[in-house]
Amino acid sequence: MRRRITAWLPLALRIGGFLALTGCADNAILELEVCLPDEVAGEREYALVQVRRITEDTNFENDIPWVGTEDQHVPLQSIPVAFDVSAETTKDNIDVAVRVSYCKNIDCASEFPAESRFVLLDPYTIGERTKATLNAATVPSGKGTPVEYKCSKGRCVPSGTGVSPVCGQSSPPEDAATPDVGDSGDAGDQTDF
């Protein structure tokens, strides 16, 4: 059994993009499904999910402004969960960084012993919705190497695979079908760029 958790992340003003909630014709939407691990009492009980805009000159470690009030502190469950978040913008040609930190406490105060990292290349096309599944269910022993995703035609997949991960599985089956990129009917959590 897998549970789904959702939240709203309004980042438009902090990122510098102006968001007009006029519908998909004037903006682009990135829908992320983040696969989270189960909790380990006293070791990892929360995940801090952060989504940020990046540029070609950005260094993942030092140059991204990771501190923000819109960050999502997700309580982990006794079983793996999927956490949905959407990021919306009125600009295209934007790359996105996602950091998932695993914490003992809800505030994650300066404790980031383990992080899953993702970079999504050009996920936005004005007037369209793009989907990506990020597998953060396997916790790295430290700060993980960013997993690069390439985006095209409404979906983002890990570079070199052509197949999207599936929450609840360590890797997608060889014959995994391409995920449907149509409107799911659930806006989920939203981050605005």
Side-chain angles (χ1 to χ4, degrees), residues 72-90:
Q72 293 300 303
H73 302 266
V74 183
L76 297 176
Q77 309 292 315
S78 59
I79 59 173
V81 296
F83 179 74
D84 294 330
V85 63
S86 294
E88 186 170 349
T89 187
T90 57

Side-chain angles (χ1 to χ4, degrees), residues 3 45 107 109 158 181:
R3 295 182 187 166
E45 297 181 14
D107 63 359
V181 294

Side-chain angles (χ1 to χ4, degrees), residues 29-145:
I29 299 170
L30 173 62
E31 293 181 347
L32 300 174
E33 177 183 44
V34 182
C35 309
L36 296 174
D38 56 336
E39 72 173 329
V40 175
E43 184 178 327
R44 67 170 186 262
E45 297 181 14
Y46 295 89
L48 173 61
V49 179
Q50 299 172 295
V51 180
R52 299 291 189 271
R53 174 182 172 185
I54 58 175
T55 65
E56 61 188 48
D57 300 327
T58 303
N59 174 292
F60 199 98
E61 184 69 34
N62 301 315
D63 297 335
I64 299 173
W66 289 113
V67 177
T69 59
E70 295 85 9
D71 299 336
Q72 293 300 303
H73 302 266
V74 183
L76 297 176
Q77 309 292 315
S78 59
I79 59 173
V81 296
F83 179 74
D84 294 330
V85 63
S86 294
E88 186 170 349
T89 187
T90 57
K91 302 174 184 179
D92 52 11
N93 298 317
I94 294 173
D95 294 334
V96 174
V98 179
R99 180 169 81 166
V100 180
S101 303
Y102 308 95
C103 312
K104 293 179 191 175
N105 302 304
I106 192 166
D107 63 359
C108 290
S110 68
E111 56 155 313
F112 300 111
E115 294 177 354
S116 294
R117 299 169 171 196
F118 306 90
V119 175
L120 287 78
L121 302 176
D122 201 20
Y124 292 109
T125 302
I126 297 299
E128 294 186 16
R129 183 180 306 265
T130 302
K131 293 187 177 190
T133 300
L134 310 180
N135 188 357
T138 302
V139 180
S141 59
K143 294 181 180 183
T145 302

Side-chain angles (χ1 to χ4, degrees), residues 18-29:
F18 174 75
L19 174 66
L21 294 174
T22 59
C24 201
D26 297 330
N27 54 14
I29 299 170

